[in-house]
Amino acid sequence: MDRLINTVQHYAWGSVDALPSLLGTPPTGRPQAELWMGAHPSAPSRLDRGHGSAGTPSLLDVIEADPVAQLGEATLRRHGVRLPFLLKLLAAAEPLSLQVHPDRAQAAAGYAREEAAGIPPTAPHRCYKDDQHKPELIVALTAFRGLCGFRDPRESANLLEELGVAALDAHIAALRKAPEEEALHDCVAAFLDAPPHTLEAVARSLARLAAGPGPRAGTWSAYAGIARRHPGDPGLLVALLLHLVTLSPGEGLYLGPGVPHAYLDGLGVEIMASSDNVLRCGLTAKHIDVSELLHVVRFSSTAPHVLAPEAGPGGEEVYDTPADDFRLSRWVLPPGGPERRFDAAAPQILLCTRGSALVRTAGGELPLPQGASAYLPAGAAGAVHGTGTVFRATVNL
């Protein structure tokens, strides 16, 4: 087992102080959006073996040098020579881009198509950077807000009607009368081509409703905040079709393929399939391929897949999802409590998000203070004890 040295990503939507507070580092004044833990080629973790910079190999290189020992036979057969998950700490102070991820078949076909067309991997208009799907799970460490999945079209019609914007009347009627898939598809296509005067009218209405009383005040305030941060962005209209979700600390939100979503604010632990395939729907200055987006989005109303951790063996609490790329669980370690034993046929990363813990294996012991993480190869058995919370990321075999 090895302590990990991880990369902080400085995206504009990140919080200035949430990650430094958790990691025990001084704020720099720059937004710190994500801390990456894993072997993603863009920013692989390094293994801190106490020998200076020369003794910190990347996790990516370690896995590629001996995939059987690091990944185990089962992971290698299913996912190839790659760590199939990426673990993150995510700290959002502003909304992320509204986005959707393809399923496996769509990703493979899209990647092959763009490779055959000779589109450079770094081209801003490229949709598929690899041939993998990208399911993901966020678990809140603080109150965490996001948008996820389409509401029932009739509920969205009622909400849009309260805005009092005449340009939306035909879409409101379609949401009430047309078949669900047709109504949602046509509204998204039309909203992404909305003229500036419609977007300005919607933003004014949202500001007015957010300042008034009523049971939807919190909802209007959230959407008005999006309008202020992304003036003139047609993704605002698409966002108005989605559920507004607030997670309490410890709750998770699973996002499968084809589900439009955006995180708004909060601090959480995120795990995902290790892929870069993102199709954007708005709230961004980046390229939006409307045609491909409409092909990938699943135009059906879905309740947000909010998860509470389920009791597992030995005090482990598991966030159960259908993804085979990852499995996320946690131990909540009370003062003076028993050690929690673990074993796994797959590689794993342990992350302490509160308090401190000590990880023990046959090879020795490793302290995990708050914010620290450790990598263990396939087959590593051991135990963890201490006072606080430790998340465990591995492959769902």
Side-chain angles (χ1 to χ4, degrees):
M1 98 185 128
D2 292 281
R3 177 82 63 85
L4 291 177
I5 301 171
N6 304 306
T7 298
V8 172
Q9 304 286 9
H10 299 278
Y11 305 139
W13 49 262
S15 168
V16 171
D17 54 12
L19 275 183
S21 177
L22 190 149
L23 299 174
T25 58
T28 63
R30 296 177 65 194
Q32 298 188 32
E34 296 179 347
L35 182 77
W36 285 23
M37 292 158 277
H40 191 285
S42 296
S45 299
R46 306 191 71 83
L47 306 184
D48 183 2
R49 292 179 169 169
H51 304 302
S53 58
T56 56
S58 82
L59 181 54
L60 178 63
D61 290 342
V62 167
I63 288 172
E64 290 181 344
D66 193 353
V68 175
Q70 297 299 320
L71 301 175
E73 293 284 0
T75 300
L76 194 58
R77 282 195 305 271
R78 184 174 298 180
H79 298 285
V81 184
R82 54 190 292 272
L83 186 66
F85 66 84
L86 176 64
L87 184 67
K88 299 180 180 181
L89 282 168
L90 183 147
E94 298 185 5
L96 283 67
S97 63
L98 189 60
Q99 58 191 258
V100 69
H101 306 302
D103 62 26
R104 272 199 172 101
Q106 291 166 336
Y111 179 73
R113 185 171 61 249
E114 292 186 339
E115 285 287 282
I119 302 174
T122 57
H125 64 288
R126 179 148 183 169
C127 295
Y128 297 96
K129 305 298 178 65
D130 53 64
D131 62 356
Q132 298 295 320
H133 68 165
K134 194 185 177 187
E136 58 189 52
L137 166 69
I138 185 84
V139 173
L141 296 179
T142 65
F144 194 98
R145 294 191 305 169
L147 303 171
C148 175
F150 291 111
R151 286 191 208 88
D152 182 287
R154 288 162 295 185
E155 293 179 16
S156 289
N158 294 339
L159 184 141
L160 293 175
E161 189 172 49
E162 291 185 47
L163 295 173
V165 176
L168 300 180
D169 287 349
H171 305 300
I172 292 169
L175 288 167
R176 286 187 171 136
K177 296 178 181 178
E180 178 174 281
E181 182 174 354
E182 176 187 330
L184 291 172
H185 176 281
D186 291 352
C187 278
V188 170
F191 287 174
L192 290 176
D193 195 35
H197 64 83
T198 298
L199 297 169
E200 291 165 5
V202 169
R204 287 194 300 270
S205 292
L206 287 170
R208 171 179 55 82
L209 290 165
R216 289 197 203 266
T219 298
W220 296 128
S221 178
Y223 286 116
I226 294 172
R228 287 194 304 271
R229 292 179 174 88
H230 295 276
D233 192 311
L236 172 66
L237 291 174
V238 180
L240 284 162
L241 299 174
L242 307 182
H243 295 280
L244 176 64
V245 182
T246 300
L247 301 178
S248 298
E251 289 185 321
L253 179 65
Y254 175 72
L255 298 156
V259 177
H261 61 278
Y263 301 143
L264 301 181
D265 50 58
L267 175 67
V269 174
E270 185 181 35
I271 191 167
M272 60 181 62
S274 188
S275 168
D276 287 327
N277 286 328
V278 176
L279 287 98
R280 293 177 174 82
C281 317
L283 312 185
T284 180
K286 294 182 179 180
H287 175 70
I288 298 176
D289 186 325
V290 175
S291 176
E292 190 63 20
L293 174 69
L294 296 177
H295 171 65
V296 168
V297 170
R298 296 183 179 179
F299 292 102
S300 59
S301 56
T302 54
H305 196 163
V306 176
L307 300 172
E310 300 178 3
E316 188 176 21
E317 299 178 345
V318 181
Y319 293 89
D320 187 29
T321 78
D324 66 353
D325 310 78
F326 58 77
R327 175 185 181 273
L328 186 68
S329 59
R330 69 176 186 178
W331 292 288
V332 179
L333 305 170
E339 68 176 15
R340 303 302 189 183
R341 300 193 60 78
F342 61 84
D343 193 0
Q348 54 193 312
I349 292 175
L350 305 182
L351 166 67
C352 181
T353 59
R354 182 180 61 86
S356 63
L358 184 71
V359 184
R360 179 174 55 81
T361 68
E365 295 182 340
L366 183 66
L368 278 189
Q370 180 174 296
S373 55
Y375 166 76
L376 294 85
V384 59
H385 67 92
T387 302
T389 303
V390 175
F391 281 84
R392 180 190 187 204
T394 187
V395 183
N396 189 4
L397 297 177

Coordinates of all heavy atoms in Angstrom, one line a residue, residues 312-376:
G312 N -23.3 -3.0 5.2 CA -22.6 -4.2 4.6 C -21.9 -5.0 5.7 O -22.1 -4.7 6.9
P313 N -21.1 -5.9 5.3 CA -20.4 -6.7 6.3 C -19.3 -5.9 7.0 O -18.7 -5.0 6.5 CB -19.8 -7.8 5.4 CG -19.6 -7.2 4.0 CD -20.8 -6.3 3.9
G314 N -19.2 -6.2 8.3 CA -18.1 -5.7 9.1 C -18.2 -4.2 9.3 O -17.2 -3.5 9.4
G315 N -19.4 -3.6 9.3 CA -19.5 -2.2 9.5 C -19.4 -1.3 8.3 O -19.4 -0.1 8.4
E316 N -19.1 -1.9 7.2 CA -19.0 -1.1 5.9 C -20.4 -0.7 5.4 O -21.3 -1.4 5.5 CB -18.3 -2.0 4.9 CG -17.9 -1.3 3.6 CD -17.2 -2.1 2.6 OE1 -17.3 -3.4 2.7 OE2 -16.5 -1.6 1.8
E317 N -20.5 0.6 5.0 CA -21.7 1.1 4.4 C -21.5 1.3 2.9 O -20.6 2.0 2.5 CB -22.1 2.4 5.1 CG -22.3 2.3 6.6 CD -22.6 3.6 7.2 OE1 -22.3 4.7 6.6 OE2 -23.1 3.6 8.4
V318 N -22.4 0.7 2.1 CA -22.2 0.6 0.7 C -23.2 1.4 -0.1 O -24.4 1.4 0.2 CB -22.3 -0.9 0.2 CG1 -22.0 -1.0 -1.3 CG2 -21.3 -1.8 1.0
Y319 N -22.7 2.2 -1.1 CA -23.6 2.9 -2.0 C -23.8 2.0 -3.2 O -22.9 1.9 -4.1 CB -23.0 4.2 -2.4 CG -22.9 5.2 -1.2 CD1 -21.8 5.2 -0.4 CD2 -23.9 6.1 -1.0 CE1 -21.7 6.1 0.7 CE2 -23.9 6.9 0.1 CZ -22.8 6.9 0.9 OH -22.7 7.8 2.0
D320 N -24.9 1.4 -3.3 CA -25.2 0.3 -4.3 C -25.6 0.9 -5.6 O -26.6 1.6 -5.7 CB -26.2 -0.6 -3.8 CG -26.4 -1.8 -4.7 OD1 -25.5 -2.2 -5.4 OD2 -27.6 -2.4 -4.7
T321 N -24.9 0.7 -6.7 CA -25.2 1.2 -8.0 C -25.0 0.0 -9.0 O -24.4 -1.0 -8.7 CB -24.3 2.3 -8.5 OG1 -23.0 1.8 -8.9 CG2 -24.1 3.3 -7.3
P322 N -25.6 0.2 -10.2 CA -25.4 -0.9 -11.2 C -24.1 -0.8 -12.0 O -23.8 -1.7 -12.8 CB -26.6 -0.6 -12.2 CG -26.9 0.9 -12.1 CD -26.6 1.2 -10.6
A323 N -23.3 0.2 -11.7 CA -22.0 0.3 -12.4 C -21.0 -0.8 -12.1 O -20.9 -1.1 -10.9 CB -21.4 1.7 -12.2
D324 N -20.4 -1.4 -13.1 CA -19.4 -2.4 -12.8 C -18.0 -1.8 -12.8 O -17.0 -2.5 -12.4 CB -19.4 -3.6 -13.8 CG -19.1 -3.2 -15.2 OD1 -18.9 -2.0 -15.5 OD2 -19.0 -4.1 -16.1
D325 N -17.8 -0.6 -13.1 CA -16.5 0.1 -13.1 C -16.1 0.4 -11.7 O -14.9 0.5 -11.4 CB -16.6 1.4 -13.9 CG -17.2 1.2 -15.3 OD1 -18.4 1.1 -15.4 OD2 -16.4 1.1 -16.3
F326 N -17.0 0.7 -10.8 CA -16.7 1.1 -9.5 C -17.7 0.6 -8.4 O -18.8 0.3 -8.7 CB -16.6 2.7 -9.4 CG -17.9 3.4 -9.8 CD1 -19.0 3.5 -8.9 CD2 -18.0 4.0 -11.0 CE1 -20.1 4.1 -9.3 CE2 -19.2 4.7 -11.4 CZ -20.2 4.7 -10.5
R327 N -17.2 0.6 -7.2 CA -18.0 0.4 -6.0 C -17.5 1.3 -5.0 O -16.3 1.4 -4.7 CB -17.8 -1.1 -5.6 CG -18.5 -1.4 -4.2 CD -18.2 -2.9 -3.8 NE -18.8 -3.3 -2.6 CZ -18.3 -3.1 -1.4 NH1 -17.2 -2.4 -1.2 NH2 -19.0 -3.6 -0.3
L328 N -18.4 2.1 -4.4 CA -18.0 3.1 -3.3 C -18.7 2.7 -2.0 O -19.9 2.4 -2.0 CB -18.4 4.5 -3.7 CG -17.9 5.6 -2.8 CD1 -16.4 5.7 -2.9 CD2 -18.6 6.9 -3.1
S329 N -17.9 2.7 -0.9 CA -18.5 2.5 0.4 C -17.7 3.3 1.4 O -16.8 4.1 1.0 CB -18.3 1.0 0.7 OG -16.9 0.6 0.7
R330 N -18.1 3.3 2.6 CA -17.4 4.1 3.7 C -17.5 3.3 5.0 O -18.4 2.5 5.2 CB -18.1 5.4 3.8 CG -19.5 5.4 4.4 CD -20.0 6.8 4.6 NE -21.3 6.8 5.3 CZ -22.0 7.8 5.7 NH1 -21.6 9.0 5.4 NH2 -23.2 7.6 6.3
W331 N -16.6 3.7 5.8 CA -16.6 3.3 7.2 C -16.8 4.6 8.1 O -16.0 5.5 7.9 CB -15.4 2.6 7.7 CG -15.1 1.2 7.1 CD1 -15.8 0.1 7.4 CD2 -14.2 0.9 6.1 NE1 -15.3 -1.0 6.7 CE2 -14.3 -0.5 5.9 CE3 -13.1 1.6 5.5 CZ2 -13.5 -1.2 5.0 CZ3 -12.3 0.9 4.6 CH2 -12.5 -0.5 4.3
V332 N -17.7 4.6 8.9 CA -17.8 5.7 9.9 C -17.3 5.1 11.2 O -17.9 4.3 11.8 CB -19.3 6.2 10.1 CG1 -19.4 7.3 11.1 CG2 -19.8 6.7 8.7
L333 N -16.1 5.6 11.6 CA -15.4 5.0 12.7 C -15.6 5.8 14.0 O -15.2 6.9 14.1 CB -13.9 5.0 12.4 CG -13.5 4.3 11.1 CD1 -12.1 4.6 10.7 CD2 -13.8 2.8 11.2
P334 N -16.3 5.2 15.0 CA -16.6 6.0 16.3 C -15.3 5.9 17.2 O -14.5 5.0 17.0 CB -17.8 5.2 16.9 CG -17.6 3.8 16.4 CD -17.0 3.9 15.0
P335 N -15.2 6.8 18.1 CA -14.1 6.7 19.0 C -14.1 5.4 19.8 O -15.1 5.0 20.3 CB -14.3 7.9 20.0 CG -15.2 8.9 19.2 CD -16.0 8.0 18.3
G336 N -12.9 4.8 19.8 CA -12.8 3.5 20.6 C -13.5 2.3 19.9 O -13.6 1.3 20.6
G337 N -14.0 2.5 18.7 CA -14.7 1.4 18.0 C -13.7 0.3 17.5 O -12.5 0.5 17.5
P338 N -14.2 -0.8 17.1 CA -13.4 -1.9 16.6 C -12.8 -1.6 15.3 O -13.3 -0.7 14.5 CB -14.4 -3.1 16.5 CG -15.7 -2.4 16.2 CD -15.7 -1.1 17.0
E339 N -11.7 -2.3 15.0 CA -11.1 -2.1 13.6 C -12.1 -2.8 12.6 O -12.8 -3.7 12.9 CB -9.7 -2.7 13.5 CG -9.7 -4.2 13.7 CD -8.3 -4.8 13.5 OE1 -7.3 -4.0 13.6 OE2 -8.1 -6.0 13.3
R340 N -12.0 -2.3 11.4 CA -12.8 -2.8 10.3 C -11.9 -3.5 9.3 O -11.0 -2.9 8.7 CB -13.6 -1.6 9.6 CG -14.5 -0.8 10.5 CD -15.5 -1.7 11.2 NE -16.5 -0.9 12.0 CZ -17.5 -1.3 12.7 NH1 -17.6 -2.7 12.8 NH2 -18.3 -0.6 13.3
R341 N -12.2 -4.8 9.1 CA -11.3 -5.6 8.2 C -11.9 -5.5 6.8 O -13.0 -5.3 6.5 CB -11.3 -7.0 8.7 CG -10.7 -7.2 10.1 CD -10.4 -8.6 10.4 NE -9.4 -9.1 9.5 CZ -8.1 -8.9 9.6 NH1 -7.6 -8.1 10.6 NH2 -7.2 -9.4 8.7
F342 N -10.9 -5.6 5.8 CA -11.3 -5.6 4.4 C -10.4 -6.6 3.6 O -9.3 -6.9 4.0 CB -11.2 -4.2 3.8 CG -9.9 -3.6 3.9 CD1 -8.9 -3.9 2.9 CD2 -9.5 -2.7 4.9 CE1 -7.7 -3.3 2.9 CE2 -8.2 -2.2 4.9 CZ -7.3 -2.5 3.9
D343 N -11.0 -7.0 2.5 CA -10.3 -7.8 1.6 C -10.9 -7.6 0.2 O -12.0 -7.2 0.1 CB -10.4 -9.3 1.9 CG -9.4 -10.2 1.1 OD1 -8.6 -9.7 0.3 OD2 -9.5 -11.4 1.3
A344 N -10.1 -7.7 -0.9 CA -10.7 -7.4 -2.2 C -9.8 -8.0 -3.3 O -8.6 -8.1 -3.2 CB -10.7 -5.9 -2.4
A345 N -10.5 -8.6 -4.3 CA -9.8 -9.1 -5.4 C -9.4 -8.1 -6.4 O -8.7 -8.3 -7.4 CB -10.7 -10.2 -6.1
A346 N -9.8 -6.8 -6.2 CA -9.6 -5.7 -7.1 C -8.8 -4.6 -6.4 O -8.7 -4.6 -5.2 CB -10.9 -5.1 -7.6
P347 N -8.1 -3.7 -7.1 CA -7.4 -2.6 -6.5 C -8.4 -1.7 -5.8 O -9.6 -1.6 -6.2 CB -6.7 -1.9 -7.7 CG -7.6 -2.3 -8.9 CD -8.1 -3.7 -8.6
Q348 N -7.9 -0.9 -4.9 CA -8.8 0.0 -4.1 C -8.0 1.2 -3.7 O -6.8 1.2 -3.6 CB -9.4 -0.7 -2.9 CG -8.4 -1.4 -2.0 CD -9.1 -2.4 -1.0 OE1 -10.1 -2.0 -0.4 NE2 -8.6 -3.6 -0.9
I349 N -8.8 2.3 -3.5 CA -8.3 3.5 -2.9 C -9.1 3.9 -1.7 O -10.3 3.8 -1.7 CB -8.3 4.7 -3.9 CG1 -7.4 4.4 -5.1 CG2 -8.0 6.0 -3.3 CD1 -7.5 5.4 -6.2
L350 N -8.4 4.2 -0.6 CA -9.0 4.6 0.7 C -8.8 6.1 0.8 O -7.6 6.6 0.6 CB -8.4 3.8 1.9 CG -8.4 2.3 1.8 CD1 -7.9 1.7 3.1 CD2 -9.9 1.8 1.6
L351 N -9.8 6.8 1.3 CA -9.7 8.3 1.4 C -10.4 8.6 2.7 O -11.5 8.3 3.0 CB -10.5 8.9 0.3 CG -10.8 10.4 0.4 CD1 -9.6 11.3 0.4 CD2 -11.8 10.9 -0.7
C352 N -9.6 9.3 3.6 CA -10.1 9.8 4.8 C -10.7 11.2 4.7 O -10.0 12.1 4.3 CB -9.0 9.8 5.9 SG -9.6 10.4 7.5
T353 N -12.0 11.4 5.0 CA -12.6 12.7 4.8 C -12.9 13.4 6.1 O -13.3 14.6 6.1 CB -13.9 12.6 4.0 OG1 -14.8 11.8 4.7 CG2 -13.6 12.1 2.6
R354 N -12.7 12.7 7.2 CA -13.0 13.3 8.5 C -12.2 12.6 9.6 O -12.1 11.4 9.5 CB -14.5 13.3 8.9 CG -14.8 13.9 10.2 CD -16.4 13.8 10.4 NE -16.8 12.4 10.5 CZ -16.8 11.7 11.6 NH1 -16.3 12.2 12.8 NH2 -17.2 10.5 11.6
G355 N -11.6 13.3 10.5 CA -10.8 12.7 11.6 C -9.5 12.1 11.1 O -8.8 12.7 10.2
S356 N -9.2 10.9 11.5 CA -8.0 10.2 11.1 C -8.1 8.7 11.3 O -9.0 8.3 12.1 CB -6.7 10.7 11.9 OG -6.9 10.4 13.3
A357 N -7.3 8.0 10.5 CA -7.4 6.5 10.6 C -6.0 5.9 10.4 O -5.1 6.6 9.9 CB -8.4 6.0 9.5
L358 N -5.9 4.7 10.7 CA -4.7 3.9 10.5 C -5.0 2.7 9.7 O -5.9 1.9 10.1 CB -4.0 3.5 11.8 CG -2.7 2.8 11.7 CD1 -1.6 3.8 11.3 CD2 -2.3 2.1 13.1
V359 N -4.4 2.5 8.6 CA -4.6 1.3 7.7 C -3.5 0.3 8.0 O -2.3 0.7 8.0 CB -4.6 1.7 6.2 CG1 -4.9 0.5 5.4 CG2 -5.6 2.8 6.0
R360 N -3.9 -0.9 8.2 CA -2.9 -2.0 8.5 C -3.0 -3.1 7.5 O -4.1 -3.6 7.3 CB -3.1 -2.5 10.0 CG -2.1 -3.6 10.4 CD -2.3 -3.9 11.8 NE -3.7 -4.3 12.2 CZ -4.2 -5.5 11.9 NH1 -3.5 -6.4 11.4 NH2 -5.5 -5.7 12.3
T361 N -1.9 -3.5 6.9 CA -1.9 -4.7 6.1 C -0.7 -5.5 6.5 O 0.1 -5.2 7.4 CB -1.7 -4.3 4.6 OG1 -0.4 -3.8 4.4 CG2 -2.8 -3.3 4.1
A362 N -0.5 -6.7 5.8 CA 0.6 -7.5 6.1 C 2.0 -6.8 5.9 O 3.0 -7.1 6.5 CB 0.6 -8.8 5.3
G363 N 1.9 -5.8 5.0 CA 3.2 -5.1 4.7 C 3.5 -3.9 5.6 O 4.5 -3.3 5.5
G364 N 2.6 -3.6 6.6 CA 2.9 -2.5 7.5 C 1.7 -1.7 7.8 O 0.5 -2.1 7.5
E365 N 1.9 -0.5 8.3 CA 0.8 0.4 8.7 C 1.0 1.8 8.0 O 2.1 2.2 7.8 CB 0.8 0.6 10.2 CG 0.5 -0.6 11.0 CD 0.4 -0.4 12.5 OE1 1.0 0.7 13.0 OE2 -0.2 -1.2 13.2
L366 N -0.1 2.4 7.8 CA -0.1 3.7 7.1 C -1.1 4.6 7.7 O -2.3 4.4 7.7 CB -0.4 3.6 5.6 CG -0.3 4.8 4.7 CD1 1.2 5.3 4.7 CD2 -0.8 4.6 3.3
P367 N -0.7 5.8 8.3 CA -1.6 6.7 8.9 C -2.4 7.4 7.7 O -1.7 7.8 6.7 CB -0.8 7.7 9.7 CG 0.6 7.0 9.8 CD 0.7 6.1 8.6
L368 N -3.6 7.7 7.9 CA -4.4 8.5 7.0 C -5.1 9.6 7.7 O -6.2 9.5 8.3 CB -5.5 7.6 6.3 CG -5.2 6.7 5.2 CD1 -6.5 6.1 4.6 CD2 -4.4 7.4 4.1
P369 N -4.4 10.8 7.8 CA -5.1 11.9 8.4 C -6.2 12.4 7.4 O -6.3 12.0 6.3 CB -3.9 12.9 8.5 CG -2.9 12.5 7.5 CD -3.1 11.0 7.4
Q370 N -7.0 13.4 7.9 CA -8.0 13.9 7.0 C -7.5 14.5 5.7 O -6.5 15.2 5.7 CB -8.8 15.0 7.8 CG -9.9 15.7 7.0 CD -10.7 16.6 7.8 OE1 -11.3 16.3 8.8 NE2 -10.7 17.9 7.5
G371 N -8.1 14.1 4.6 CA -7.7 14.5 3.3 C -6.7 13.6 2.6 O -6.4 13.8 1.4
A372 N -6.1 12.6 3.4 CA -5.1 11.7 2.8 C -5.8 10.5 2.2 O -6.9 10.1 2.5 CB -4.1 11.3 3.9
S373 N -5.1 9.9 1.2 CA -5.6 8.7 0.5 C -4.5 7.7 0.3 O -3.3 8.1 0.3 CB -6.2 9.1 -0.8 OG -5.3 9.9 -1.6
A374 N -4.9 6.5 0.1 CA -3.9 5.4 -0.1 C -4.4 4.5 -1.2 O -5.6 4.2 -1.3 CB -3.7 4.6 1.2
Y375 N -3.4 3.9 -1.9 CA -3.7 2.9 -3.0 C -3.3 1.5 -2.5 O -2.2 1.4 -1.9 CB -3.0 3.3 -4.3 CG -3.0 2.1 -5.3 CD1 -4.1 1.8 -6.0 CD2 -1.8 1.4 -5.5 CE1 -4.1 0.8 -6.9 CE2 -1.8 0.3 -6.4 CZ -2.9 0.0 -7.1 OH -2.9 -1.0 -8.0
L376 N -4.1 0.5 -2.7 CA -3.8 -0.9 -2.4 C -4.1 -1.7 -3.6 O -5.1 -1.6 -4.2 CB -4.6 -1.4 -1.2 CG -4.4 -0.7 0.1 CD1 -5.2 0.5 0.3 CD2 -4.7 -1.7 1.2

